[in-house]
Amino acid sequence: MLYLIGLGLGDAADITVKGLEAVRSCSRVYLEAYTSILTVGKEALEEYYGKELVLADRDLVEQGADEILKDADVTDVAFLVVGDPFGATTHSDLVLRAVNAGIPYKVIHNASIMNAVGCCGLQLYNFGEAVSVVFWTETWKPESFYDKISKNRAAGLHTLCLLDIKVKEQSIENTMRGRKIYEPPRFMTVSQAADQLMQIIHRRREEGEELGMTEDTVCVGVARLGSDDQKICTGSLRQLVSCDLGGPLHSLVVTGRLHPLEVDMLRVNAEPDALEHLQMIDSSTYTS
Amino acid sequence: MLYLIGLGLGDAADITVKGLEAVRSCSRVYLEAYTSILTVGKEALEEYYGKELVLADRDLVEQGADEILKDADVTDVAFLVVGDPFGATTHSDLVLRAVNAGIPYKVIHNASIMNAVGCCGLQLYNFGEAVSVVFWTETWKPESFYDKISKNRAAGLHTLCLLDIKVKEQSIENTMRGRKIYEPPRFMTVSQAADQLMQIIHRRREEGEELGMTEDTVCVGVARLGSDDQKICTGSLRQLVSCDLGGPLHSLVVTGRLHPLEVDMLRVNAEPDALEHLQMIDSSTYTS
């Protein structure tokens, strides 16, 4: 049996009881280590589970799937994923390989940012399509996430922005020279994502385009959701550029039309400066 | 402290380790019992947790919140919710009351249908706004969910349809006579939801409207997700009208534009009749 087990979002104790029992019963346990991270590392998980874990990077999952699935028809193998197992496309691929090899699989679900973000006070069924915000480079500054946010906002919907993670990336030079030297991991912060959005807004304003959001749009930054030191910070986009929510992972929500109950909930976690702004929204047509 | 603890989707063992520890440490534990259900009842949970649970129906949560929050500033109280605690608006209200009363609160997340539905093979970031499908009556047949589905499909997005639950409802006669007699609980099935959608399609076709979806649109019915006897059934809307997925809870997904990897995953759970249909989609412009 191949078990795909979600670890949730905080630390080792966020696994479900069912998940923990499965981990302990498996002969091999892989920890997917490139689409997300917990607030604790591999060693803390190994100690908590009482099991040795094999780190599974992108290469292993995408090219070494046979190794992961080896003998899984006669023994139990666990594949651990931060959040829920179906957050990333790559895990569908592993399931398909198992099915094609006649290996039964079982999913043990858990919280992921896609549903846990509801704790910021915005209703999950008022969210439109989620977007990914990637790190810009000197020569590559995609803006498609801005267009999707605008489209959601036009329909009154909030947008969850998943922020880029670069783990085990090689520099262009090292890639070209075939050197297996990796850059330090990078995790986009709420501040960086807000800054990229600001740049898009400025550029489009200069070009006279109609704007789907502005510097004053209410946004929510969240960090380390589900952990004891999680941070939720509500403010205008401009305010979030200068916020410091600490270590990874961060996500950003751009709000659409706000319901009065949502405004009340946002206020619980609002920056002092943002309170006035929310007050304003509260009494505007926004909430109607 | 007020703990809001998600129970996940299957049975008693789907609670997280952190959640279970919190439940066991609380002096009072409420089980929210009107927005969703697990595959096991209150007694099974009480035995598993080693704690007595107080069933919290809509009346208690919405009008008796003071009772739930009583002394929560000096003792620990747990409020258990199937899925994740922020699936329903009503729980935001409880949090706001706690905040206003100066009671600290903590959320322990878990899987909910909003993210666990990814296991059917459709990518979560290809979902648009979620909708609720309510039981029609003789005189009240709202169609707004159909319009939202159409809008999502026009943007290429899938739609998660949450199906109606009627728990502790009174008949009009009993309400008028002030008799506290409740109807048996009702849970909308995938078949019933598909049937209501078919009726809307027929009506709109007769009126010459352009259709956002048809009887041939690929849909996915899911039942008891996360439990050992979960069912996932992929087929055309027409096929799902006659499917029987067993006991509650059910949800329905109406697909938008399908990615080839999504089609491959859908095929894993497809009805034999639906395989040909998916094959057709696979080779059409749909996947482009």
Side-chain angles (χ1 to χ4, degrees):
Chain A
M1 174 82 81
L2 170 69
Y3 285 96
L4 293 110
I5 303 174
L7 301 185
L9 292 173
D11 57 32
D14 283 303
I15 194 169
T16 64
V17 177
K18 194 178 278 179
L20 184 59
E21 285 168 1
V23 168
R24 291 190 170 150
S25 76
C26 281
S27 56
R28 294 200 313 280
V29 184
Y30 295 90
L31 173 63
E32 189 265 88
Y34 62 98
T35 62
S36 190
I37 55 163
L38 290 176
T39 55
V40 295
K42 173 171 169 272
E43 291 69 28
L45 296 181
E46 286 180 324
E47 194 183 329
Y48 194 85
Y49 303 153
K51 274 279 180 182
E52 206 177 305
L53 304 183
V54 182
L55 272 188
D57 60 18
R58 190 182 293 273
D59 283 353
L60 178 59
V61 179
E62 295 185 354
Q63 279 136 52
D66 291 346
E67 188 184 324
I68 296 173
L69 296 176
K70 188 164 173 283
D71 302 328
D73 49 341
V74 290
T75 186
D76 287 341
V77 175
F79 186 74
L80 310 185
V81 181
V82 173
D84 189 67
F86 286 98
T89 322
T90 176
H91 308 138
S92 293
D93 190 62
L94 188 65
V95 167
L96 284 173
R97 284 170 190 269
V99 169
N100 290 335
I103 297 165
Y105 74 97
K106 192 166 178 173
V107 179
I108 300 181
H109 292 287
N110 210 320
S112 66
I113 186 67
M114 302 293 284
N115 70 338
V117 72
C119 72
C120 76
L122 299 170
Q123 295 298 322
L124 289 180
Y125 34 77
N126 294 336
F127 277 74
E129 185 181 6
V131 304
S132 294
V133 181
V134 296
F135 278 117
W136 280 353
T137 65
E138 277 302 306
T139 53
W140 192 61
K141 299 184 196 292
E143 299 190 354
S144 56
F145 56 91
Y146 173 90
D147 296 311
K148 286 183 179 174
I149 292 169
S150 300
K151 204 165 175 179
N152 282 338
R153 279 177 53 79
L157 301 171
H158 314 312
T159 310
L160 170 62
C161 306
L162 304 168
L163 308 187
D164 205 0
I165 293 177
K166 296 278 184 202
V167 179
K168 222 180 166 184
E169 298 272 327
Q170 288 172 286
S171 66
I172 293 172
E173 194 190 338
N174 283 329
T175 306
M176 285 174 63
R177 296 184 184 231
R179 292 190 295 217
K180 296 250 171 206
I181 300 172
Y182 301 102
E183 302 298 303
R186 290 194 301 154
F187 305 95
M188 187 183 285
T189 64
V190 163
S191 165
Q192 289 170 322
D195 182 63
Q196 288 190 184
L197 275 169
M198 290 281 276
Q199 289 186 48
I200 297 172
I201 291 167
H202 290 160
R203 196 189 63 69
R204 297 203 178 197
R205 183 179 286 125
E206 276 177 16
E207 295 184 3
E209 285 185 41
E210 201 179 326
L211 293 172
M213 67 177 293
T214 71
E215 299 87 341
D216 294 319
T217 298
V218 174
C219 297
V220 186
V222 299
R224 300 173 306 286
L225 222 60
S227 74
D228 280 337
D229 72 337
Q230 74 172 26
K231 284 259 165 45
I232 302 178
C233 178
T234 302
S236 65
L237 179 66
R238 188 189 285 112
Q239 287 173 326
L240 290 195
V241 172
S242 52
C243 77
D244 177 7
L245 300 183
L249 288 179
H250 291 196
S251 302
L252 175 70
V253 181
V254 180
T255 64
R257 176 171 296 121
L258 290 166
H259 182 275
L261 184 62
E262 291 181 316
V263 174
D264 288 342
M265 280 292 288
L266 289 182
R267 215 176 261 132
V268 172
N269 299 297
E271 289 284 270
D273 292 353
L275 281 173
E276 201 183 330
H277 195 61
L278 282 171
Q279 191 64 44
M280 198 180 68
I281 289 168
D282 200 16
S283 55
S284 77
T285 53
Y286 228 104
T287 55
S288 67
Chain B
M1 175 81 82
L2 170 69
Y3 286 96
L4 293 111
I5 303 174
L7 301 185
L9 293 173
D11 57 33
D14 284 303
I15 193 169
T16 64
V17 177
K18 195 177 278 178
L20 183 58
E21 285 167 1
V23 168
R24 290 190 170 149
S25 76
C26 282
S27 56
R28 294 200 312 281
V29 184
Y30 295 90
L31 172 64
E32 189 266 89
Y34 62 98
T35 63
S36 190
I37 56 161
L38 290 175
T39 55
V40 295
K42 174 171 169 272
E43 290 69 29
L45 296 181
E46 286 179 323
E47 195 184 327
Y48 194 85
Y49 303 153
K51 275 279 178 182
E52 206 177 304
L53 305 183
V54 182
L55 272 189
D57 60 20
R58 190 183 293 273
D59 283 352
L60 178 59
V61 177
E62 295 185 355
Q63 279 135 53
D66 291 345
E67 187 184 324
I68 295 173
L69 296 176
K70 189 165 173 283
D71 303 328
D73 50 341
V74 291
T75 186
D76 288 340
V77 175
F79 185 76
L80 310 185
V81 182
V82 173
D84 189 68
F86 286 99
T89 323
T90 176
H91 309 138
S92 294
D93 191 62
L94 188 64
V95 167
L96 284 172
R97 284 170 190 270
V99 170
N100 290 336
I103 296 165
Y105 74 97
K106 194 166 176 170
V107 179
I108 300 180
H109 292 287
N110 211 319
S112 66
I113 185 68
M114 301 294 284
N115 70 338
V117 70
C119 72
C120 75
L122 299 169
Q123 295 299 321
L124 288 181
Y125 34 77
N126 294 337
F127 277 75
E129 186 180 7
V131 304
S132 293
V133 181
V134 296
F135 278 118
W136 281 353
T137 66
E138 276 304 304
T139 53
W140 191 61
K141 300 184 196 289
E143 299 190 354
S144 56
F145 56 91
Y146 174 90
D147 296 311
K148 287 184 179 174
I149 291 169
S150 300
K151 205 164 175 181
N152 281 339
R153 280 176 53 80
L157 300 172
H158 314 312
T159 310
L160 170 63
C161 304
L162 303 168
L163 308 187
D164 205 0
I165 293 177
K166 295 278 185 203
V167 180
K168 220 178 166 184
E169 299 271 328
Q170 288 172 286
S171 67
I172 293 172
E173 194 189 339
N174 284 328
T175 306
M176 284 174 64
R177 294 182 184 232
R179 293 190 294 216
K180 295 251 171 206
I181 300 171
Y182 302 101
E183 303 298 302
R186 290 194 300 155
F187 305 94
M188 186 183 284
T189 64
V190 163
S191 166
Q192 287 170 323
D195 182 63
Q196 288 190 185
L197 276 169
M198 290 280 277
Q199 290 186 48
I200 297 172
I201 290 167
H202 290 159
R203 195 189 62 70
R204 297 204 180 196
R205 183 180 284 125
E206 276 177 17
E207 295 184 4
E209 285 185 43
E210 201 178 327
L211 293 173
M213 67 177 292
T214 72
E215 299 88 341
D216 293 318
T217 298
V218 174
C219 296
V220 186
V222 298
R224 300 173 305 287
L225 222 60
S227 74
D228 281 338
D229 72 337
Q230 73 172 26
K231 283 259 166 47
I232 302 178
C233 177
T234 302
S236 65
L237 179 67
R238 186 189 286 110
Q239 286 173 326
L240 291 194
V241 172
S242 51
C243 77
D244 177 5
L245 301 183
L249 289 178
H250 291 197
S251 302
L252 175 70
V253 181
V254 180
T255 63
R257 177 172 295 121
L258 290 165
H259 182 275
L261 184 63
E262 292 181 316
V263 174
D264 287 343
M265 279 293 289
L266 289 182
R267 214 176 262 131
V268 172
N269 299 297
E271 289 284 271
D273 293 352
L275 280 173
E276 199 182 332
H277 194 61
L278 281 171
Q279 190 65 45
M280 197 181 68
I281 288 168
D282 200 15
S283 55
S284 78
T285 53
Y286 229 105
T287 56
S288 68

